[in-house]
Amino acid sequence: MTLIRKLSAFAAACCAAAFCHAAFADDGPAYGPELEGFSYPHTVHEFAFTSQGQSLHMAYMDVQPVNPNGRTVVLLHGKNFCAATWDATIDELTHAGYRVIAPDQIGFCKSSKVAAPLRPTPNGLQTETSSRPEGYQFTFQQLARNTHALLQSLGVERATMIGHSTGGMIAIRYALMYPGETQQLVLVDPIGLEDWKAKGVPSLSVDDWYARELKTTADSIRRYEQATYYAGQWNAAYEPWVQMLAGMYRGPGKQIVAWNSALLYDMIYTQPVVYELGQLQMPTLLMIGDKDTTAIGKDLAPPDVRAKLGHYPELAKAAAKAIPHATLVEFPELGHAPQIQDPQAFHKALLDWLAAAPKSN
């Protein structure tokens, strides 16, 4: 039994009826800074490459179908997700004949992290570990280039890109940079469909983001996910993904995990994609949970600004209008993660569109 299934069974036993804080205290499994100790549903490979003068590695799953249809799908995870959270989608796609590649981006999950800031020790200032890369310029362009390099190493010339949340921002950037290699584009509750700073969300320094991230606990993750990802609902099946994240903050690499998270939040806040949606020329599917309210930094904004943020039904319709060849599928009762909250409805809509939609030339 995989760790994911063990945690899910434990969650079900403790919270069979409803979400209960008492069942899940903040003590629990501890994982390494590259999610060491947490099992993925398929074999994890490593792509070693050089970027910005540093030796890095991307973890990824490459799952082959039983009856191939000749097409490849790339799954890009969100900010508080990992490749493992695509578990059910990988199974659905491979059973339908697709080869599926699901990477962890640099700075996330099982892939390379950059060093945490200098901190005082009895012997002076030291980084958390001298073996880590000492810095990295996180941009969506860079993450797209890393993903492209991975696909080139695997001999993948064209693919359907599916991105969820922050992964949607990466998928959009990838499609803009490599339009001839993007057959289709699927955006699952992507963030970046509005410019938060232009709307009045105050900026945070990386140092401030870091201080906030150091306070992360299983309870804070769970409360946020319940409110935003699952539209106020809770199911025991969601708990493994809480523990996946919380375990890295319990482990020996807490500082480096929090630092990378802070850098990534700064990237997300400062690099909206909304202004370039009209340049996407490939067939594009927008899959939106209408009860999603995600907006980076919304809790920092004044009440009048906060009230204007994260209105996904409006954002989705505006995005669908801006993207030349867009199809919009809405899930009225779902939140930020429809693929997890209602996998049956999500996968039916996804597979139907993939089969019927044209592929870019």
Side-chain angles (χ1 to χ4, degrees):
M1 181 181 287
T2 68
L3 178 61
I4 293 172
R5 292 188 176 89
K6 288 179 181 177
L7 283 170
S8 185
F10 173 65
C14 292
C15 282
F19 170 49
C20 54
H21 292 278
F24 295 108
D26 280 328
D27 54 335
Y31 304 122
E34 292 181 3
L35 203 49
E36 296 93 340
F38 186 90
S39 297
Y40 274 30
H42 300 279
T43 301
V44 177
H45 308 277
E46 285 194 358
F47 169 54
F49 66 108
T50 300
S51 175
Q52 299 182 19
Q54 302 183 53
S55 297
L56 304 172
H57 68 87
M58 285 180 72
Y60 67 96
M61 293 177 284
D62 184 358
V63 188
Q64 302 291 334
V66 177
N67 297 305
N69 62 13
R71 297 173 63 184
T72 299
V73 170
V74 180
L75 299 175
L76 302 175
H77 62 79
K79 170 66 179 65
N80 293 320
F81 297 79
C82 298
T85 55
W86 286 113
D87 188 2
T89 303
I90 293 171
D91 288 347
E92 292 287 341
L93 288 167
T94 53
H95 279 102
Y98 297 89
R99 176 187 181 182
V100 178
I101 299 168
D104 283 340
Q105 296 295 328
I106 297 300
F108 293 87
C109 309
K110 289 186 177 291
S111 291
S112 293
K113 307 293 188 301
V114 300
L118 296 176
R119 59 194 177 99
T121 70
N123 298 319
L125 288 174
Q126 297 178 354
T127 57
E128 185 181 0
T129 168
S130 59
S131 65
R132 303 284 176 184
E134 293 184 359
Y136 200 68
Q137 181 64 52
F138 280 106
T139 67
F140 284 111
Q141 286 89 340
Q142 183 65 70
L143 298 185
R145 288 189 182 97
N146 297 347
T147 303
H148 185 252
L150 167 64
L151 297 182
Q152 284 187 313
S153 76
L154 297 174
V156 175
E157 297 180 355
R158 301 185 76 218
T160 293
M161 308 301 294
I162 301 180
H164 170 236
S165 190
T166 299
M169 297 182 79
I170 301 171
I172 290 170
R173 183 57 56 200
Y174 184 99
L176 290 169
M177 293 173 67
Y178 307 105
E181 298 172 55
T182 306
Q183 286 186 318
Q184 297 165 312
L185 178 64
V186 180
L187 305 173
V188 184
D189 285 79
I191 58 174
L193 297 183
E194 58 185 335
D195 186 340
W196 304 295
K197 63 182 183 298
K199 287 189 171 183
V201 175
S203 67
L204 277 185
S205 70
V206 172
D207 292 325
D208 287 339
W209 276 117
Y210 178 56
R212 283 166 60 100
E213 289 301 287
L214 286 173
K215 299 175 183 177
T216 299
T217 65
D219 186 59
S220 68
I221 294 169
R222 191 180 303 110
R223 284 187 282 107
Y224 177 76
E225 292 190 356
Q226 182 185 24
T228 305
Y229 296 175
Y230 309 117
Q233 302 175 17
W234 192 256
N235 185 304
Y238 310 152
E239 187 63 25
W241 312 129
V242 171
Q243 298 300 329
M244 174 186 69
L245 294 177
M248 288 191 288
Y249 286 92
R250 297 188 191 107
K254 174 179 180 177
Q255 286 79 16
I256 201 168
V257 171
W259 181 248
N260 280 255
S261 183
L263 294 172
L264 291 161
Y265 271 125
D266 185 68
M267 175 189 72
I268 295 166
Y269 173 85
T270 58
Q271 299 176 37
V273 294
V274 62
Y275 304 114
E276 298 167 86
L277 297 180
Q279 299 177 33
L280 296 169
Q281 295 301 315
M282 63 289 300
T284 300
L285 175 63
L286 279 164
M287 308 183 76
I288 303 294
D290 282 345
K291 292 192 175 181
D292 188 359
T293 59
T294 304
I296 299 300
K298 183 169 67 173
D299 60 314
L300 303 170
D304 60 326
V305 172
R306 193 181 313 143
K308 302 174 184 177
L309 303 173
H311 297 297
Y312 265 75
E314 298 172 15
L315 296 173
K317 290 177 175 62
K321 184 177 180 181
I323 299 170
H325 307 290
T327 300
L328 174 60
V329 172
E330 295 178 86
F331 303 98
E333 300 303 317
L334 304 185
H336 187 61
Q339 75 277 23
I340 298 174
Q341 191 177 5
D342 191 346
Q344 184 175 1
F346 174 85
H347 292 127
K348 183 181 186 309
L350 174 63
L351 291 171
D352 286 350
W353 184 85
L354 290 177
K359 297 176 284 294
S360 63
N361 295 324

